Amino acid sequence: MQPKDSILITGVNGFLGNYLTPVLLNAGYIVYGIGKGMRRLPIIDKKFQYYDIDLTDSYSLQQLFEIISPNIILHAAANSKPDDCELHQESAYTINVQSTKLLLDFAEKIKSRFVYISTDFVFDGEKGLYKETDEPNPINYYGKTKLLSEQLVTQYPFPNTIIRTVLVYGKPLAGRQNILSFVYAKLQNREPVQLVNDQYRTPTYIKDLVWGIKEIVEHEKTGIWHLSGDQPLMSPYEMGMQLADTFELDKSLLHPVNHTTFKEIALRPRTTGLHIQKAQTELNYRPTPFEKALKKIFT
Ligand SMILES: NC(=O)c1ccc[n+]([C@@H]2O[C@H](COP(=O)([O-])OP(=O)(O)OC[C@H]3O[C@@H](n4cnc5c(N)ncnc54)[C@H](OP(=O)(O)O)[C@@H]3O)[C@@H](O)[C@H]2O)c1
């Protein structure tokens, strides 16, 4: 296959980056990957080049853009830990907003397309099943930084895309756990787990998200796109119960808690979940049913 466009992906060491990078390489793109510190994804492909760069360091980015000129920039890196963002707002702003601004400035010089990965946490959680046209209103600092970045992206004078997703789950290839892999490990070790039962999401299987992103990139879609699992809305407790049921693990280890008893530093929106009809209609996006995805991941 002849290489097609070149694409710069930030956050390649992260959960999404680990899955997205090989898929875009297999689709024929030349991929430049930015990660912080040592490379943590096992890819050997002459179309892939890894760069250890802190995205808050404009000088390093400038040096990079002197040697590469990607057609597409896909910005997935972020501090995506809401409590950490709430506690360390200055650094969260630098990582989540300032780095987006820097990347957009470099992108503009070479007229790259810009794709930004965002979150359901831009919404306040009062309504649920948010459409692309719904008004954001973040209630924690992480959500605010992601919305500020979205606003910068929409002002970008060349083709730009915002992809929002929600509670992504799957087998971590490297790095930190996600909620379901964490609960699965706890249940297998016969350890108790507390899970919130009054917040609702449409959880997203990582491979579905990656498929949707690839389609959006390949078909040069612009504007806002919502990619998540389909309904019904589920609480983390319900997800845990279904996981335990599917693998005949001990459900009595799962303890429901609510937002008043389970205190977290950053406020969490009560009911998010994304309305995905636009992706279903225009991309033929067909997310894997929750139980089927669980079986694919953990068996
Ligand atoms: N996972 C979800 O449930 C979810 C839901 C909605 C939206 N999102 C969005 O999806 C995107 C990807 O999330 P993810 O789950 O893959 O998160 P992740 O695993 O935390 O990956 C983010 C990556 O960004 C890197 N990064 C952070 N600061 C950086 C910096 N200053 N310079 C260079 N790299 C930096 C991190 O590096 P280190 O590994 O070295 O820390 C990490 O590898 C994020 O934009 C997030 O907001 C995720």
Side-chain angles (χ1 to χ4, degrees), residues 11 13-17 34-36 40 53-56 75-81 95 117-120 142 146 165-168 176:
N13 278 334
F15 182 34
L16 174 59
I34 290 183
K36 210 173 41 169
R40 297 199 297 270
I53 289 178
D54 184 329
L55 286 168
T56 62
H75 184 27
N79 179 345
S80 56
K81 302 184 257 322
I95 293 165
I117 307 298
S118 192
T119 170
D120 58 326
Y142 165 65
K146 297 296 284 187
T165 189
V166 46
L167 197 149
V168 186
R176 67 188 167 114

Side-chain angles (χ1 to χ4, degrees), residues 7 29 72 74 113 115 213-220:
I7 180 161
Y29 291 92
I72 307 159
L74 194 153
R113 281 163 52 204
V115 181
I213 294 173
K214 179 181 80 74
E215 289 299 296
I216 285 171
V217 168
E218 295 218 290
H219 294 101
E220 304 188 5

Side-chain angles (χ1 to χ4, degrees), residues 118-190:
S118 192
T119 170
D120 58 326
F121 275 32
V122 297
F123 296 112
D124 59 21
E126 295 298 318
K127 171 178 163 286
L129 290 176
Y130 290 94
K131 293 183 179 162
E132 287 85 351
T133 47
D134 280 323
E135 202 58 48
N137 181 32
I139 60 167
N140 62 34
Y141 196 71
Y142 165 65
K144 285 179 188 155
T145 61
K146 297 296 284 187
L147 179 60
L148 285 169
S149 281
E150 285 193 6
Q151 289 163 346
L152 293 172
V153 172
T154 52
Q155 288 158 19
Y156 181 64
F158 298 105
N160 59 78
T161 313
I162 291 165
I163 301 171
R164 297 190 186 122
T165 189
V166 46
L167 197 149
V168 186
Y169 66 94
K171 191 175 286 184
L173 299 180
R176 67 188 167 114
Q177 300 277 359
N178 52 80
I179 184 166
L180 285 168
S181 61
F182 169 78
V183 173
Y184 185 76
K186 285 279 187 190
L187 293 180
Q188 286 235 308
N189 292 335
R190 302 186 179 284

Side-chain angles (χ1 to χ4, degrees), residues 31-286:
V31 178
Y32 309 114
I34 290 183
K36 210 173 41 169
M38 273 178 53
R39 158 182 165 155
R40 297 199 297 270
L41 73 177
I43 292 178
I44 301 167
D45 188 316
K46 60 180 188 318
K47 296 199 285 25
F48 178 65
Q49 185 66 49
Y50 177 79
Y51 298 94
D52 167 10
I53 289 178
D54 184 329
L55 286 168
T56 62
D57 175 0
S58 64
Y59 180 66
S60 297
L61 273 178
Q62 185 189 327
Q63 285 187 313
L64 177 67
F65 279 94
E66 280 168 13
I67 54 171
I68 67 167
S69 187
N71 308 91
I72 307 159
I73 296 177
L74 194 153
H75 184 27
N79 179 345
S80 56
K81 302 184 257 322
D83 293 337
D84 197 62
C85 290
E86 205 69 32
L87 279 177
H88 308 289
Q89 298 196 355
E90 205 174 315
S91 77
Y93 182 88
T94 311
I95 293 165
N96 289 359
V97 186
Q98 202 59 38
S99 72
T100 309
K101 169 94 178 74
L102 272 176
L103 284 167
L104 285 164
D105 287 346
F106 287 114
E108 189 170 343
K109 290 186 185 133
I110 50 175
K111 302 183 172 63
S112 305
R113 281 163 52 204
F114 201 93
V115 181
Y116 180 66
I117 307 298
S118 192
T119 170
D120 58 326
F121 275 32
V122 297
F123 296 112
D124 59 21
E126 295 298 318
K127 171 178 163 286
L129 290 176
Y130 290 94
K131 293 183 179 162
E132 287 85 351
T133 47
D134 280 323
E135 202 58 48
N137 181 32
I139 60 167
N140 62 34
Y141 196 71
Y142 165 65
K144 285 179 188 155
T145 61
K146 297 296 284 187
L147 179 60
L148 285 169
S149 281
E150 285 193 6
Q151 289 163 346
L152 293 172
V153 172
T154 52
Q155 288 158 19
Y156 181 64
F158 298 105
N160 59 78
T161 313
I162 291 165
I163 301 171
R164 297 190 186 122
T165 189
V166 46
L167 197 149
V168 186
Y169 66 94
K171 191 175 286 184
L173 299 180
R176 67 188 167 114
Q177 300 277 359
N178 52 80
I179 184 166
L180 285 168
S181 61
F182 169 78
V183 173
Y184 185 76
K186 285 279 187 190
L187 293 180
Q188 286 235 308
N189 292 335
R190 302 186 179 284
E191 291 174 43
V193 198
Q194 293 190 326
L195 288 171
V196 174
N197 70 350
D198 63 350
Q199 289 164 11
Y200 302 93
R201 309 285 182 254
T202 45
T204 313
Y205 178 37
I206 182 79
K207 290 193 176 177
D208 292 336
L209 173 62
V210 165
W211 185 90
I213 294 173
K214 179 181 80 74
E215 289 299 296
I216 285 171
V217 168
E218 295 218 290
H219 294 101
E220 304 188 5
K221 299 284 187 188
T222 56
I224 302 177
W225 292 83
H226 283 182
L227 296 178
S228 77
D230 206 350
Q231 297 177 49
L233 285 160
M234 298 174 88
S235 70
Y237 179 69
E238 287 166 334
M239 293 173 214
M241 290 295 271
Q242 192 154 341
L243 179 74
D245 263 344
T246 306
F247 296 102
E248 296 179 0
L249 295 164
D250 185 358
K251 283 200 276 197
S252 70
L253 293 167
L254 299 175
H255 299 290
V257 287
N258 64 43
H259 75 282
T260 54
T261 52
F262 188 74
K263 291 282 180 207
E264 294 179 282
I265 295 161
L267 285 174
R268 300 310 201 259
R270 186 171 179 277
T271 306
T272 64
L274 298 176
H275 191 269
I276 53 170
Q277 199 183 342
K278 177 178 169 186
Q280 287 172 317
T281 310
E282 296 185 36
L283 303 175
N284 202 25
Y285 175 72
R286 296 283 177 268

